[in-house]
Each structure stands twice: as C-alpha cells, then as structure tokens.
Amino acid sequence: MPTLPSDDTVPAAPDACDDAPYDLAVVGAGPAGLAAAVAAGRLGLRVALLDSAARTGGQFYRHPAPGLGARRPEALHHAWQAYADRAARLEALVAAGRVDHLAEHHVWAVTGAAGEWSVHAALGPDGADQRRTVRAAKLLLATGAYERQLPFPGWTLPGVVGAGGAQAMLKAGLVLPGQRVVVAGSGPLLLAVAGSLAAAGAEIPAVLEASGYVGYTRRPATLAANPGKLAEGAVHAAALLRHRIPVRTRSAVTEVHGKDRVEAVTVMRLDRDWRPVPGTERRIPCNALAVGHGLVPQLEPATGIGCATRLTPDGTHALVVDDRQRTTVTGVWSAGESGGVGGAELALLEGELAALDIAGRDGRGRTSRARRRDRLRGFADAMAVAHAPRPGWTAWLDDDTDVCRCEEVTAGQVREAVAELGARDARTVKLLTRAGMGWCQGRMCGAAVACLAGGAGDTASRRPLACPVTLEQLAED
Amino acid sequence: MSRNPRDTSRTPLDLAHATPDPAFEITLDGRPLPALPGQSVAAALWAAGILSWRTTRRDGRPRGAFCGIGSCYDCLATVNSRPNQRACLVPARPGDAVTTQEGTGRADLAV
C-alpha cells in the first residue's frame, strides 16, 4: 500500500510560538484520527492530535499500558501491523515537532469557525483535572463509536457487560469479567469478542446472534468486492471452531438471573422480527454475559457546531460527509465511525483521504483510496442492514426492566409516557421520565427509548457538551 | 504452554505474553487487593473477581463496569475520597483506597 508521502523522511518543524494555532486539530486517535494525523504531518501540516486515552489506537487498537509488559499485544488484534506502522510514524513526527500528541484530553466542545477553531478539553485519565483550549485552522473529527445496547430483564446485574466493553477491558487490562461468558446481541463484533475471550482462557458456552448471517449473501457483488473482509470473517469463524464455541442465530438472551451478580441467562429463539418464540426457553449457567447490538457513531462535538447528520441503514445517525470526507460545516472533516460505522480498515483510509484534502493534495493517492473506501462502505452498509435490530425485541422487556441505567427509569414508565401521556419521540420521553438525562447522556438507553417511542427520528439527539464537565472547569473561560 | 481449548488455566496474561512489573496493593472498602501496573482500577477489581463497587441512587442496586470505555458511567467509584471517578479509565496506583460509592457519592453534602 502506498504511504503518504512515499519516502520515510519527516519534514523539519516550522518555527512556531506555543500560542500559534495549529494547522489542523484531530479529535480522536483511533485508526482514523491516527492515520489522518500521520498523513497530515508528513504532508507538512502542524497537527494537534487530541484523545481522551493515554495511548493512541482508539477502541479497536486499544492495548495494555507499558507496565503490563505485554510482549505480544498483537495476539488480541486483527491487522495489528497497520497500527504499529502508523504509531511508529507518529512517534517520529512527534519527535520532529510536527505533531503534538495531546493524550488524556477529553474534548467536551468546539467553538469558533473555519480558520479559527477552539477545541476545549478537560485533562486527565477521567477528565477531572484542569482544562485546556487548543486552537487550529482546520478540524478533523474522528470520534469513533460506542456500543448500542438494548435492555432486557436483568441487564443491570453486575457481570452483564458490553461485548465491546469486555473486549476493551481485555485488550487494555488483560482481564476477564468471568470464566464462563455467554456472548450475545447482534453484529459482526460478537464473533471477534467471543474469539478473543476464548483465546484468553474464558469458556464461551454460546454465542447468540439475534439476526443471522444469510443477509450477507443477498448482496453477492458486495461480498465479492471485499475479499479481505471475507478473510477476516473466516479468521473469526475458525477461531470459534477451534474453541468449539456454538453459534446460534435468531436467538437472544431474554433474561439474566442472579441476585447480586450473573448466575445464569435464559436464551430464547427469535422470529424474523426478533420476537421471542414461546416455549423455546433454555437456561445457560454462566458468570458473565457480554452483550451488544452493533455500534453507534459518536457525534459530539460535531453536532454542537452544526454538522448535519443522516439516518444510517441500521437506524443510527452518522455525520454527513462528502467524497473528500468534508462535513457540511466549512473547515471541518470527519473520518471513521463518526461518519458511519465501517471498521478499522475503512477508518484508516478515510483518515488518509481527509488528510490529503486538508493538505490540498488532490491527485496522488486519492483515487485508489476513494475506490477502496467506497467498496468497504458498501460492505459495511450490507452488514448494518443484516444485523439491524428488528422491532420485536421490545417483547422481551418486563414493565419493571430498567431502560435508562443512570436514572433507573423502567420500561413501564417509558411505555406510560408514550401510551398515556402522548410522548411521540425520545426527547419528550426524556422530559417526562428522565430517561436519558443521567451521566451517560442517553448513550446507553437512547436506541431503546427511541424505539419504544416509535422509532428513530430523522435527527440525532443533541448534546451541547460532549462529556460531563464541572462548573469549575466551565467557569475557567 | 497447552493450546487445548478446554485448558482453563490459560490467562489473558499468557495470551499477550505479558511479564508485568511487580504487583502492588490497593484496597476496596479496606480489603487489600493486588493490582498490576498499567491496569485501571476496574481491571484490578475484575482480576480479583469483583464486579460491583457502586450502588445506585434510587434503588441501591449494585453496579460495576459495563461499557468499559468511559461512555456509560456505571463504574463510578470513590477513589481516595474523591467520588465519581470512572474506574474503567482511572489507572490503579499503589495504595489507592477504593470505596464502594453509594448513590451520588456525596453523602457529605446531604441535608
């Protein structure tokens, strides 16, 4: 694959005083942001790369801190080399003063306009320390995604963890939530998670996929155009075979049992619309459940500065981006999952495409990358449709199931707001019940509340602050 | 090392060929626990088999790490008397005193 630029030299640092705005601020150091910062730095721009974590890589390439002495971090990753190469280039660019890697910077808002963006961050591992504002002429948002959750009875019991969460804790902390872990939900991530947990020593009694995998085959042309993705799927399938993990499609965990932690789950067959089929209950003893239903693009701080969003094929919202990764706001680009979930390989490409456009390099390297991007987007859309939640899932909710984990708002309360108080959208439900008003700002319950209120709206919910900040931090300006 | 899929003695540390720096001690509600350098507070607690370290404001139900990436705020803990720290993000440090956070963790402000 051609690199950007093709030789390994690093341009010398320009003379710049500390307060001079950067040419480019990149928010997020996952695959997209990292690739973009490296490409832009090598194309001569002075770049600030901001990320909430201590190390680059984002969620996909999350890896242990040096103290854990992991000599083989790649054992937990697909396509590790793509990360390792860029991390090495970033290090060279940082050493040369071209790129500043601003770790543990939690970006909570962006203000300004093209040519004079101000990126506001709260510092520290948890964003609880002092704050800082970084100024830049151009802005690239590569804020990634978080996991979509659908509630079910018992999902708040300790031991129920996000599938991506279990993966993240394993990748960074080298720990498991339990020794016997059921993996459930929908989407391609489940197979990767089950494979990793098993490789790390967990027993996986079952993987339960609410949809199926036949949806892929309805788009043979998309499959044929993405041999790499098929190979990746085959790697996961082989890992499951090796560990003798049964995969059940059209099945879901409909209840979790246990007093203070997970002791067992009830699994049921689902019909085509994800409605549980009566009489198919089966109990599986386990001490943890890793569950998730695909990913949701992280839209903040983009929506705060007016970037337009679109409804995706699986019912989430993503930023509108054009062929050059430009958002609808002048001077703001997006790459990776914030513009639609599509995986790390796509994110790397989009980051480089954005950097080329930001640096004003139109020709070299653009066409082939754009072609590969479009092919991978096609594959991602096909998968999104195949695994999109179907409306029947709400049949597994009890009235006393918590829907909003933060504010402890039950399905019964949400249904009452809809049926008796006339709420027709998630925002009205929130005002009536407090669902989505807690610490996570509706990230965990948003999909469920929208569904219970009658479906995803045309516009994404707005969060003026991307993460909680203290009044003290706010008052510093 | 055995590659047998049924060999439950295999650990995440084996998988990553990890040889961590020496473990140190943290406490949860006064109970001493080992933590490895580089692990978050939540990871150290998971390694000790502990899955909850907070009770909810309304019903007092136990909670721990859920999303694992700092998005859900379910893993809030009181660390060294400072409440509402995301245990999945905060690195464990030698001598950290983690206490189960009840409700808002601000009982001192109650009227």
Side-chain angles (χ1 to χ4, degrees), chain A residues 55 59 62 65-73 75-76 104 106 125-129 145-147 149 155-162 164-166 168-170 172-177 179 196 198-201 203 242-244 259-261 287 291 298 402 405-410 413 434 438-440 443-444 467-468, chain B residues 3-22 35-74 76-77 82-91 93 101 103-104 106:
Chain A
R55 296 174 299 287
Q59 302 312 333
R62 193 180 249 264
L68 277 164
R71 282 168 291 132
R72 208 172 148 251
L76 289 158
E104 296 185 341
H106 300 250
D126 190 23
D129 303 341
Y146 55 90
E147 200 161 30
Q149 295 296 341
W155 78 304
T156 54
L157 263 186
V160 180
V161 300
M169 293 283 287
L170 174 59
L174 303 180
V175 289
L176 296 168
Q179 275 307 312
S196 305
E203 184 192 349
R242 193 164 61 242
H243 295 285
R244 299 187 199 122
K259 189 172 173 291
D260 289 325
R261 56 193 291 166
N287 47 30
V291 64
Q298 168 66 44
D402 276 333
R405 301 172 68 94
C406 302
E407 297 294 306
E408 298 171 88
V409 180
T410 64
Q413 289 172 287
R434 296 191 59 82
W439 279 95
C440 86
R443 288 187 176 91
M444 296 303 116
C467 58
Chain B
R3 296 269 169 182
N4 184 328
R6 295 293 179 201
D7 176 7
T8 52
S9 65
R10 190 179 170 92
T11 69
L13 290 163
D14 296 337
L15 177 66
H17 290 197
T19 45
D21 295 339
L36 294 174
Q39 281 183 329
S40 64
V41 167
L45 293 170
W46 273 25
I50 296 164
L51 296 177
S52 66
W53 48 86
R54 175 171 88 87
T55 57
T56 58
R57 280 173 299 162
R58 198 193 66 180
D59 295 339
R61 301 292 302 154
R63 296 282 179 86
F66 180 68
C67 81
I69 66 169
S71 288
C72 78
Y73 295 80
D74 242 356
L76 294 178
R82 193 172 177 183
N84 299 318
Q85 303 292 296
R86 282 176 283 181
C88 74
L89 298 185
V90 177
R93 299 216 159 82
Q101 177 168 325
T104 60
R106 296 281 187 186

Side-chain angles (χ1 to χ4, degrees), chain A residues 1 34-35 38 81-91 348 352:
Chain A
M1 193 175 78
L34 175 63
V38 166
Q81 198 56 45
Y83 169 73
D85 289 348
R86 284 167 181 89
R89 285 186 200 134
L90 177 70
E91 207 171 312
L348 291 166
E352 288 171 355

